Amino acid sequence: MLLTLLFVQGAHAFGFADVAQQAKQLAAAPFKKSEGTPLPKELQGLTYDRYRDIRYKPVDAWWRGSKLPFELEFFHRGFYFDQPVTINEIVGGRVREIKYSPDLFDFGGNKVDRQKLQGMGFAGFRVHYPVNTPKHKDEVLVFLGASYFRAIGKGQVYGLSARALAVDTALISGEEFPRFVEFWIEQPAANARELTIYGLLDSKRVTGAYRFLVRPGVETVVDVKAQIYLREHVAKLGLAPLSSMFSFGENQKSSTDDYRPEVHDSDGLLIQSGTGEWIWRPLTNPKRLLVTSFTLDNPLGYGLMQRDRDFTGYEDLEAHYERRPSAWVEPKGKWGTGRVELVQIPSPDETNDNIVAFWAPETAPVPRKPFDFEYRILWQKDSETRPPLAWVTQTRRGRGYTRNPDSSIGLVIDFEGPALRKLPTDATLSGNVTADSNGEIVEKVVHRNDVTGGWRMVLRVKRLDDSKPVEIRAFLKGDANTVSETWSYILPPD
């Protein structure tokens, strides 16, 4: 084992309160950016492929020699990830730093002088645990870059990301990206099924203490406990943010001649309000920045979901978008009044995360005072969170009137779910459809989908001012009751 351990004496077992105390102390002092040991010239300006060629040696995976259920591997600094992160292990309540050594890495085709790398430090880490087969420890969680982290469960591949905090996202003033500057990871027991990770967050205006309780499985669960401090006022604070990618899909064709029908990590935002309403907003790749929100009291959950699980929807044998997880956020306790904000950013291709969703509390934290919140993130595929009655399976967009094309837009929305499957063959449903002042519903048809057993709603909509968006809401209704989630769609400006 090549890692060197440094013991730090303490009178008590290290825990969340210790990280919170450090966050409080940081917030009371001016921000100081820590660059660490400068990267040597050979590692500056690396391309994505050259950075990926630097690999941690699996034989030196942390805890492998102890035959524990979890293992750790570490990321080298370079590419976008040039700032160092201190990583510690907690054993018996005592902290010891996991020290960097260049001998832990295979640098592939990168020619480097290892003597120049002493004291370089790590950029982040990943967690391994057997979720697909007991004989192999799969990579299930990654912390790398700013406050970003990603997780996967059984049969999943990496897709969307979560972040610890979003600050001033989509504001003209520019976004601030807090980053984890230090981690503490508890050594698991021999039969452990969960892993505890603490993180210390820092940026110009925000500090924070975080605890992540990770339980890998069919759906990997991450329970998050946070206490943040503001050094100064923040215009927009986003809690439990999710970042994803939507390039094109059923409701928006590719702008280029692409063989793939769809390319996205997520295809919609799902919200469960405090009143029990379920809202589904299909994602788009707008021509200019599009920011929308849903004002709520004490939300029960929200998430960026990947509902289309059919390979033929993507036809990509390398990316396997059909296996990318949905991420569902469940607040713990009462979050009060605020809004779920959805930011959709124009992107020319799938290389950019252009979708962000988060909770923005109505009452902002007071600078230098603790602000506490907790939530759970479920990384799902096979048993995704869905409304109990019926939900949207696809939204398709095209011309509103094809024989004699006019300026109207056609929208086809398919619903499926147990409430629809139970209906008799002679049942009739209606569509409750509304549009804002910039839209006119020209036509509405609702009928059974004989192929899927669900129901289809067909709309023809006119946009009165092409330079402005249109918001449309629709749901299926029986004789007296609502039988589906609410489809909430934004037609971006043309």
Side-chain angles (χ1 to χ4, degrees), residues 49-179:
D49 290 331
R50 285 186 61 196
Y51 178 69
R52 281 178 57 87
D53 210 21
I54 304 175
R55 301 181 182 275
Y56 189 86
K57 296 177 181 178
V59 67
D60 288 315
W62 194 241
W63 298 324
R64 176 165 293 190
S66 302
K67 300 187 183 302
L68 297 180
F70 290 88
E71 291 180 0
L72 305 176
E73 295 185 7
F74 305 95
F75 290 98
H76 205 281
R77 291 171 59 195
F79 191 47
Y80 296 141
F81 317 112
D82 56 353
Q83 295 179 299
V85 178
T86 302
I87 302 176
N88 308 282
E89 180 187 20
I90 305 171
V91 182
R94 302 167 69 188
V95 175
R96 51 190 185 184
E97 183 180 355
I98 301 175
K99 301 296 287 184
Y100 165 89
S101 168
D103 295 332
L104 295 166
F105 294 90
D106 180 347
F107 290 87
N110 296 285
K111 305 300 181 183
V112 296
D113 182 353
R114 291 176 181 265
Q115 293 302 316
K116 297 180 180 179
L117 301 180
Q118 300 301 323
M120 189 60 53
F122 302 113
F125 67 95
R126 56 190 175 214
V127 176
H128 292 247
Y129 182 88
V131 293
N132 293 301
T133 170
K135 298 181 180 180
H136 176 73
K137 290 185 175 67
D138 308 281
E139 185 178 326
V140 295
L141 177 71
V142 169
F143 279 91
L144 180 64
S147 68
Y148 285 87
F149 60 99
R150 298 194 293 174
I152 51 176
K154 183 177 182 180
Q156 302 173 19
V157 298
Y158 282 123
L160 79 169
S161 303
R163 279 190 278 167
L165 208 61
V167 178
D168 289 353
T169 304
L171 294 186
I172 296 177
S173 58
E175 184 168 2
E176 181 175 313
F177 289 90
R179 76 179 189 96

Side-chain angles (χ1 to χ4, degrees), residues 91-391:
V91 182
R94 302 167 69 188
V95 175
R96 51 190 185 184
E97 183 180 355
I98 301 175
K99 301 296 287 184
Y100 165 89
S101 168
D103 295 332
L104 295 166
F105 294 90
D106 180 347
F107 290 87
N110 296 285
K111 305 300 181 183
V112 296
D113 182 353
R114 291 176 181 265
Q115 293 302 316
K116 297 180 180 179
L117 301 180
Q118 300 301 323
M120 189 60 53
F122 302 113
F125 67 95
R126 56 190 175 214
V127 176
H128 292 247
Y129 182 88
V131 293
N132 293 301
T133 170
K135 298 181 180 180
H136 176 73
K137 290 185 175 67
D138 308 281
E139 185 178 326
V140 295
L141 177 71
V142 169
F143 279 91
L144 180 64
S147 68
Y148 285 87
F149 60 99
R150 298 194 293 174
I152 51 176
K154 183 177 182 180
Q156 302 173 19
V157 298
Y158 282 123
L160 79 169
S161 303
R163 279 190 278 167
L165 208 61
V167 178
D168 289 353
T169 304
L171 294 186
I172 296 177
S173 58
E175 184 168 2
E176 181 175 313
F177 289 90
R179 76 179 189 96
F180 284 115
V181 295
E182 189 164 3
F183 288 102
W184 297 261
I185 309 170
E186 286 191 3
Q187 183 187 81
N191 59 349
R193 295 185 178 180
E194 60 186 30
L195 185 69
T196 302
I197 301 167
Y198 301 98
L200 177 63
L201 194 76
D202 194 20
S203 71
K204 182 181 178 181
R205 290 179 291 168
V206 184
T207 71
Y210 283 76
R211 183 192 68 195
F212 303 91
L213 187 61
V214 183
R215 292 187 296 279
V218 174
E219 62 175 19
T220 289
V221 180
V222 180
D223 286 316
V224 184
K225 175 182 175 66
Q227 184 177 101
I228 63 172
Y229 293 84
L230 301 186
R231 284 191 172 95
E232 55 187 271
H233 175 70
V234 170
K236 186 197 297 185
L237 190 66
L239 310 185
L242 303 172
S243 298
S244 192
M245 178 275 295
F246 183 92
S247 184
F248 56 91
E250 294 157 345
N251 64 316
Q252 185 174 5
K253 296 178 182 178
S254 173
S255 59
T256 61
D257 191 12
D258 198 305
Y259 75 93
R260 298 168 296 180
E262 303 176 53
V263 170
H264 50 72
D265 287 337
S266 308
D267 54 9
L269 169 68
L270 179 64
I271 298 172
Q272 185 183 13
S273 74
T275 63
E277 182 185 18
W278 292 82
I279 304 168
W280 173 254
R281 171 155 291 176
L283 300 179
T284 61
N285 184 356
K287 294 181 180 179
R288 59 178 183 257
L289 177 67
L290 182 62
V291 180
T292 58
S293 62
F294 300 83
T295 300
L296 303 167
D297 290 323
N298 298 314
L300 299 180
Y302 65 91
L304 291 175
M305 316 300 282
Q306 184 79 314
R307 280 188 172 173
D308 192 341
R309 293 297 177 188
D310 190 345
F311 170 77
T312 59
Y314 307 98
E315 294 290 349
D316 195 323
L317 286 170
E318 180 180 1
H320 280 293
Y321 292 108
E322 77 281 358
R323 293 171 55 193
R324 303 204 172 192
S326 298
W328 179 250
V329 174
E330 294 180 345
K332 294 184 178 182
K334 302 292 186 180
W335 276 16
T337 302
R339 67 187 186 275
V340 174
E341 185 162 301
L342 176 64
V343 179
Q344 300 179 95
I345 305 166
S347 178
D349 53 46
E350 68 263 37
T351 60
N352 303 303
D353 276 0
N354 63 325
I355 306 294
V356 186
F358 52 81
W359 173 256
E362 182 180 65
T363 303
V366 177
R368 294 184 173 82
K369 297 293 184 181
F371 183 82
D372 297 275
F373 57 97
E374 294 186 52
Y375 60 96
R376 168 175 291 177
I377 308 180
L378 304 172
W379 304 81
Q380 306 173 324
K381 182 175 77 70
D382 296 330
S383 56
E384 292 171 301
T385 298
R386 294 185 187 275
L389 299 178
W391 51 86

